[in-house]
Amino acid sequence: MSSLPAVNRQILYAKRPEGMPTLDCFKLESGPIPTIKTGEVLIRNYYLSVDPYIRMRMEAKDSYAPVMQIGEKMVGRTIGQVVQSLDNSLQVGDWVVGRMSWEDVSAAPVKELQKIDPSFKPLSAFLGALGSTGLTAWVGLMAFGKPVAGETVLVSVASGAVGSVVGQLAKLRGCRAVGIAGGARKCEIVVKELGFDACIDYKSPEFEKNLAQALPGGVDVYFDNVGGPITDYVLTLLNLRARVALCGTVSQYNATELYGIKNYREFFNKRVSLHGFVLSDHRDLWPEATREIQEAYSAGKLKHLETVAEGLENAPQAFIDMLNGANVGKQIVRIV
Amino acid sequence: MSSLPAVNRQILYAKRPEGMPTLDCFKLESGPIPTIKTGEVLIRNYYLSVDPYIRMRMEAKDSYAPVMQIGEKMVGRTIGQVVQSLDNSLQVGDWVVGRMSWEDVSAAPVKELQKIDPSFKPLSAFLGALGSTGLTAWVGLMAFGKPVAGETVLVSVASGAVGSVVGQLAKLRGCRAVGIAGGARKCEIVVKELGFDACIDYKSPEFEKNLAQALPGGVDVYFDNVGGPITDYVLTLLNLRARVALCGTVSQYNATELYGIKNYREFFNKRVSLHGFVLSDHRDLWPEATREIQEAYSAGKLKHLETVAEGLENAPQAFIDMLNGANVGKQIVRIV
């Protein structure tokens, strides 16, 4: 059973970054253990998820999410154990996942928490393939990519938390799955560990030629996490009536000058549909998505990949590393 | 009743253009009057439509339509009168519209022709608001823009053949219609003749400021005919869950270097959907579209605007003028 620490370490948003965040954009402070009120529980956090979308919230201007203010606690999903409860629906000892902060101990209303089965291994999968990144992959691919068996699904940031699940789901639907990732090591993992049919290294000087060769039948579904020059080139490989599920543009989050997409006309020429989406708009799909993902995971047909950093104090560096693409799979910070 | 000319003047595709086409890309020749076989009719062409998509077919590389080969006849929709018939479904004297060539006399299978009512004035409207450009406006707006009463619909090339109909249909659906067009005169026509709520001149140095001011509630539906820098700026004005119906990118058809769209990330930030479309993919919608357009036209609620050039020999210049934006409404060439 979890015990409470003497103080609650918290990571605050300290400075607005220009381009890639640096460590001085964050500040570690110690505060008191929060007190809870009726309907809330106190949670000892064990695992923290650091995600690309947080970078967008560090901008001065609203993007798809409201901006964070300097001095606020950094937000993120965590997995933790209930150590106090003022609600009958959760007992001390229960394990939960929810949107909390980069901190040791969180107070949260029970209605914003999801109880999880602690016998699951690794538990951190509930921040990845079995959590919101897995759901994001499912919703984007199924609702907007609409893959049909035999079609080709291309995924950018294929080694990332979302992309790694997209390709596996595409394979389960009988599609050819091709990934794009940075570096030979990641590409090897994407093919050998995750079962993609091919994965092309965008850092190679031969990237465009290699990608075209890996896609002799073109692209029917493009699951885009990256934007920028990679997406610009991919647009020229789309088939007639291709579908683009746009989940993010991570190549542009730290850009001081935005890249211009020259091949916009391909959306017309190929009669392409594109959908920008975020998970929270599609709650109606979560039950079906959760069922399919959990069944596939339990059957050993879907893997959760993760990269784990040790210690809450290292969350800022893990976040920066993740933005630099150092992670394979879900970037997790182990707090306890 | 139409009589046959002594020779059949035809305009051929003579030279591939680089950038904007020039007159030497076309060649006027005289050939024999075609002979027809069973199931066909001979048509004396009266009106010819010259359209932006033809420019794309003059490229060396397939776009959404196959390329034309040097020496081929220029293709285009015409309105004409049947002068010989080898099919019971059409009689000499009937009027038809169909996809033919830039020529005085065409032979065509009756199944590719649509009979029209010659009492209609102007008959050339069957190449515009009552024809394929009107259908294109309807299909793009209704199937992909999905406008809801009270929403704002923005249309680029609002003074063009398609755009002029889009705004009028948006008004009929209870939307606010805002256009973008080149020059004060066109903008005035768009507002005063067509009933748009506003029209902003993209040639003004104050274009961006003026457009933002005309859209205090943002953009819910963007019907895009233009691409390029205009569209790039419009993306920053889209509302959450806006819909983009992409009908063409005329700003890029003659571009020797493609413009790069910097605001691609807005598709994600605003959870936008975009659909590139062509009319021929959506035949299932034609009956409903035709009914609504004809009813509105008959009730005086929808106008057909046109610019008419005189003489088949002037079709190349009319085509170039249209690409330069000299036309208001549908660019027609009167042959007889």
Side-chain angles (χ1 to χ4, degrees):
Chain A
M1 184 62 53
S2 305
S3 59
L4 278 172
V7 295
N8 185 24
R9 293 175 306 158
Q10 304 177 319
I11 292 173
L12 309 182
Y13 181 32
K15 198 186 85 173
R16 211 170 288 292
E18 287 177 27
M20 183 61 72
T22 45
L23 287 176
D24 61 349
C25 295
F26 309 89
K27 189 175 171 191
L28 179 67
E29 282 201 347
S30 290
I33 302 295
T35 51
I36 55 173
K37 47 182 195 269
T38 305
E40 291 186 338
V41 290
L42 197 66
I43 300 149
R44 178 78 156 105
N45 292 316
Y46 275 64
Y47 299 103
L48 164 68
S49 170
V50 290
D51 296 275
Y53 79 89
I54 297 292
R55 176 64 186 84
M56 300 180 73
R57 298 201 54 197
M58 296 173 82
E59 287 297 306
K61 186 171 160 287
D62 281 358
S63 58
Y64 84 97
V67 298
M68 288 191 300
Q69 301 304 319
I70 302 296
E72 270 187 59
K73 287 192 283 192
M74 294 296 299
V75 296
R77 292 177 73 79
T78 69
I79 287 172
Q81 193 174 25
V82 174
V83 288
Q84 290 176 15
S85 176
L86 289 178
D87 192 278
N88 289 334
S89 64
L90 283 176
Q91 312 304 320
V92 170
D94 283 347
W95 287 83
V96 292
V97 60
R99 191 171 140 133
M100 287 172 269
S101 300
W102 297 17
E103 60 187 355
D104 286 317
V105 182
S106 299
V110 294
K111 64 177 173 6
E112 292 177 13
L113 299 170
Q114 183 199 340
K115 192 173 164 181
I116 56 175
D117 175 0
S119 70
F120 229 94
K121 296 285 176 271
L123 209 53
S124 51
F126 285 107
L127 295 175
L130 298 179
S132 57
T133 53
L135 285 177
T136 300
W138 195 98
V139 164
L141 182 65
M142 303 309 176
F144 303 114
K146 297 184 192 303
V148 174
E151 287 190 327
T152 296
V153 175
L154 178 66
V155 190
S156 58
V157 199
S159 58
V162 173
S164 60
V165 178
V166 171
Q168 295 183 83
L169 291 174
K171 291 297 296 178
L172 288 173
R173 292 295 174 105
C175 294
R176 175 172 164 80
V178 176
I180 297 170
R185 178 181 143 265
K186 284 188 190 170
C187 288
E188 190 181 335
I189 292 170
V190 166
V191 171
K192 295 201 177 155
E193 300 272 321
L194 301 176
F196 284 51
D197 295 284
C199 186
I200 307 302
D201 176 9
Y202 72 81
K203 292 179 176 173
S204 161
E206 305 280 272
F207 166 62
E208 296 194 354
K209 195 189 77 176
N210 293 342
L211 187 64
Q213 282 178 352
L215 297 161
V219 175
D220 300 300
V221 176
Y222 176 45
F223 193 107
D224 190 12
N225 294 301
V226 75
I230 292 174
T231 291
D232 204 5
Y233 180 63
V234 167
L235 295 181
T236 68
L237 303 176
L238 297 180
N239 288 334
L240 206 61
R241 301 187 189 87
R243 289 83 66 196
V244 178
L246 177 57
C247 184
T249 59
V250 73
S251 72
Q252 305 296 295
Y253 295 169
N254 298 299
T256 45
E257 190 168 350
L258 293 172
Y259 175 87
I261 299 275
K262 294 187 180 66
N263 295 304
Y264 176 73
R265 64 178 182 179
E266 298 295 334
F267 288 114
F268 172 64
N269 289 348
K270 301 293 174 55
R271 312 168 199 177
V272 172
S273 72
L274 171 146
H275 291 270
F277 74 97
V278 297
L279 182 59
S280 53
D281 280 352
H282 303 283
R283 287 176 190 271
D284 56 316
L285 300 175
W286 293 10
E288 184 186 352
T290 301
R291 191 168 54 246
E292 182 172 342
I293 289 169
Q294 293 197 345
E295 282 177 12
Y297 190 83
S298 300
K301 292 177 177 171
L302 186 101
K303 288 186 186 172
H304 163 76
L305 275 192
E306 64 181 22
T307 299
V308 181
E310 298 293 337
L312 178 66
E313 66 281 10
N314 292 319
Q317 188 63 53
F319 177 66
I320 293 166
D321 288 347
M322 182 272 303
L323 289 174
N324 277 317
N327 60 305
V328 176
K330 182 70 195 168
Q331 178 67 56
I332 302 280
V333 177
R334 190 199 313 267
I335 298 175
V336 179
Chain B
M1 185 60 56
S2 304
S3 60
L4 278 171
V7 295
N8 185 24
R9 292 176 307 159
Q10 303 178 320
I11 292 172
L12 309 182
Y13 180 32
K15 199 185 86 176
R16 211 169 289 289
E18 288 175 26
M20 183 61 72
T22 46
L23 287 176
D24 61 348
C25 295
F26 308 91
K27 188 175 170 191
L28 178 66
E29 282 202 347
S30 291
I33 304 295
T35 53
I36 55 173
K37 47 183 195 266
T38 306
E40 292 187 336
V41 291
L42 198 66
I43 300 148
R44 179 78 157 108
N45 292 317
Y46 275 65
Y47 298 103
L48 164 68
S49 169
V50 289
D51 296 275
Y53 80 88
I54 298 292
R55 175 64 185 84
M56 300 181 73
R57 298 201 52 196
M58 296 172 82
E59 287 296 307
K61 185 170 159 287
D62 281 0
S63 58
Y64 85 96
V67 298
M68 288 192 300
Q69 301 303 319
I70 302 296
E72 269 187 58
K73 288 192 283 191
M74 294 297 298
V75 296
R77 291 178 73 81
T78 69
I79 288 171
Q81 193 173 25
V82 174
V83 289
Q84 288 176 17
S85 177
L86 290 178
D87 191 278
N88 289 334
S89 64
L90 283 175
Q91 310 306 319
V92 170
D94 284 346
W95 286 83
V96 292
V97 60
R99 190 171 142 136
M100 286 173 271
S101 300
W102 298 18
E103 61 186 354
D104 286 317
V105 182
S106 298
V110 296
K111 65 177 170 11
E112 293 177 11
L113 299 169
Q114 181 197 344
K115 193 173 163 180
I116 56 176
D117 174 0
S119 70
F120 228 93
K121 296 288 176 267
L123 208 54
S124 50
F126 285 107
L127 296 175
L130 298 178
S132 57
T133 53
L135 285 179
T136 300
W138 195 98
V139 165
L141 182 64
M142 304 307 177
F144 303 113
K146 299 185 191 300
V148 174
E151 288 190 326
T152 297
V153 176
L154 177 67
V155 190
S156 58
V157 199
S159 60
V162 173
S164 59
V165 178
V166 171
Q168 296 184 83
L169 291 174
K171 291 297 294 176
L172 289 172
R173 293 293 174 106
C175 295
R176 174 172 164 81
V178 176
I180 297 169
R185 176 180 147 267
K186 283 188 189 168
C187 287
E188 192 182 334
I189 292 170
V190 166
V191 171
K192 294 200 176 155
E193 300 272 320
L194 301 177
F196 283 53
D197 295 284
C199 186
I200 306 302
D201 176 10
Y202 72 82
K203 293 179 177 174
S204 161
E206 305 279 271
F207 166 63
E208 295 192 355
K209 195 189 76 176
N210 294 341
L211 187 64
Q213 282 179 353
L215 297 162
V219 175
D220 301 300
V221 177
Y222 176 45
F223 193 107
D224 191 12
N225 293 300
V226 76
I230 292 174
T231 291
D232 204 4
Y233 180 63
V234 167
L235 295 182
T236 68
L237 304 174
L238 297 181
N239 288 334
L240 206 61
R241 301 189 189 88
R243 289 81 66 197
V244 178
L246 177 58
C247 184
T249 60
V250 72
S251 73
Q252 305 297 296
Y253 294 169
N254 297 298
T256 45
E257 190 166 349
L258 293 172
Y259 175 86
I261 300 275
K262 295 188 180 64
N263 295 303
Y264 175 74
R265 63 179 183 178
E266 299 295 333
F267 288 114
F268 171 64
N269 288 347
K270 302 294 175 54
R271 312 165 199 180
V272 173
S273 72
L274 171 145
H275 290 271
F277 74 96
V278 297
L279 181 59
S280 53
D281 279 352
H282 304 282
R283 287 176 190 271
D284 55 316
L285 300 174
W286 293 11
E288 184 186 354
T290 300
R291 190 167 56 246
E292 181 172 345
I293 290 169
Q294 293 196 344
E295 282 176 12
Y297 189 83
S298 300
K301 292 177 178 170
L302 186 103
K303 288 186 186 172
H304 162 76
L305 277 192
E306 64 179 23
T307 298
V308 180
E310 299 292 337
L312 178 67
E313 66 280 9
N314 292 318
Q317 188 63 54
F319 176 67
I320 293 166
D321 289 348
M322 181 272 303
L323 289 174
N324 277 318
N327 59 305
V328 177
K330 182 72 196 170
Q331 179 66 57
I332 302 281
V333 177
R334 191 196 313 269
I335 298 174
V336 179

